[in-house]
Amino acid sequence: MLQKVSGFIQSHSLCEPESKILAAVSGGIDSVVLCEVLHQLKYTFAIAHCNFGLRAEDAEADQLFAKKLAKKYEVPFFTENFDTRAFAAQEKLSTQMAARTLRYTWFEQVRQQEGYDYIATAHHSNDLTETILLHLTKGTGIAGLHGIPAKNGHIIRPMLTVTKDDIFDFVTEQRLIWREDTSNETTKYQRNKIRHEVIPVLKEINPNLEETMQHTAERVSQAEAIVHAYIDNLRQQSIKEAEDAVYLSLVPLQNATGLPVVLHELLRPFNFSYSVVLELVEALEGLSGKQFESPSHTLVKDRDQLVITSRNLSRFGSVTIAEGQTEVSEEHVQLTLRYVPASEYKLNTKPHVAALDAGLLKFPMKLRPWQEGDWFVPLGMNGKKKISDFLIDKKVPANLKAKTLVLVSDQSIAWIVGQRLDNRFKVTEKTEQVLEISLKRIS
């Protein structure tokens, strides 16, 4: 067992002998074995345990067991309690997906705060088989066919090469104690149904199912690397990241082989499903303005490009700015304010900087999203213009319109943030003090 895991770590370059590892420990047999393996291989590690609040007294007992395990190995112990059901309801996720999201987010926070190099999970060969079968059943792209990667960023899975039988043999040999999770036996969860009802039937056909699946996953991973090289080349040609959005040019994709698959891979970081991508492909020859949604992003077809924005950017609320305030931070936007005597001020004409006559402003000012009916007097003009018309004239895509902000003095709009100053508040020869406001978008 130890030799098998050690060889796997080396062959897949999972970590270095001196790496500091944060071990994800539930208290079950797999994570207990992970701790013992890390201990015997002389890695520096700590134990991190999540209490999801789903199993009442059993969850409390698991937490206490994990704490005692850390004491046994004389390693640091980190734990967190979550209200998983409330989070699942709020985010409209299954309980299992909610727990997964909470778990990995917290693990990464601990890893960064405490200075660990990697997060180790106790996934093994049987988990890989279950994952591939689950992905095949529910529908998957090429990424789903390699199951669980041995290394994914800071997450490593050193036991992916061993089977459940190997684990049982090891705990018997080492006389290890673990906590049994009764939820692993119920078939109300999809993974458990595959584990208890599907895999036994498949093993009648192929007794070496786990080994076969692992070899298949390795071949798929190598094929995926070839696909990624092709996709990465197109990504460099087509994607441009800006402060306000990500722009995907359609020109380099005109002769792409397998356009739906290519687009799905390019849009994967933004969580667009394959079915949505198929609708998008059908709309590419149509008029501009068609909008598509993923759980996290909005995409708009705008002539020969796709404009992608984070959905939560449009939920920006109203912020009050007091006189003398030097910084405003809210959601994904930060404004820096500085007052300068007009005689000393050197005009900055960049669109993310506004130079306003401080004497004409009335405080407190407000920073808010633009609204229908809003108007201003564009710099250099004397007449009014509706902001809706201004955004149309500038050909601003729909999802970028939604997050356009305005700076309001009393009832007048002084600045369409990052785009155009109002002529009524410009710096003139009569200006005594300038208020310079610089915009920075926070990704």
Side-chain angles (χ1 to χ4, degrees), residues 54 137 143 146 221 291 329 392 440 443:
L54 299 173
T137 303
H146 61 52
S221 293
Q291 187 165 302
S329 294
I392 290 171
K440 179 181 179 183
S443 57

Side-chain angles (χ1 to χ4, degrees), residues 24-29 31-32 35 47-71 77-81 177-184:
V25 176
S26 66
I29 185 171
S31 59
V32 165
C35 289
I47 288 176
H49 174 83
C50 299
N51 183 341
F52 296 108
L54 299 173
R55 296 168 45 245
E57 293 85 1
D58 282 344
E60 298 297 327
D62 289 347
Q63 195 170 33
L64 181 59
F65 177 84
K67 184 177 182 180
K68 289 180 178 179
L69 201 62
K71 188 174 182 181
F77 177 65
F78 306 99
T79 188
E80 185 64 80
N81 290 42
I177 299 172
W178 70 92
R179 291 275 303 168
E180 196 64 62
D181 184 351
T182 54
S183 67
N184 287 334

Side-chain angles (χ1 to χ4, degrees), residues 284-312:
L284 290 182
E285 299 301 323
L287 297 174
S288 294
K290 182 96 175 180
Q291 187 165 302
F292 301 86
E293 303 281 352
S294 80
S296 57
H297 289 77
T298 298
L299 180 154
V300 170
K301 177 187 176 292
D302 180 46
R303 289 159 291 176
D304 60 353
Q305 67 179 355
L306 306 177
V307 183
I308 307 156
T309 55
S310 177
R311 287 179 65 177
N312 61 4

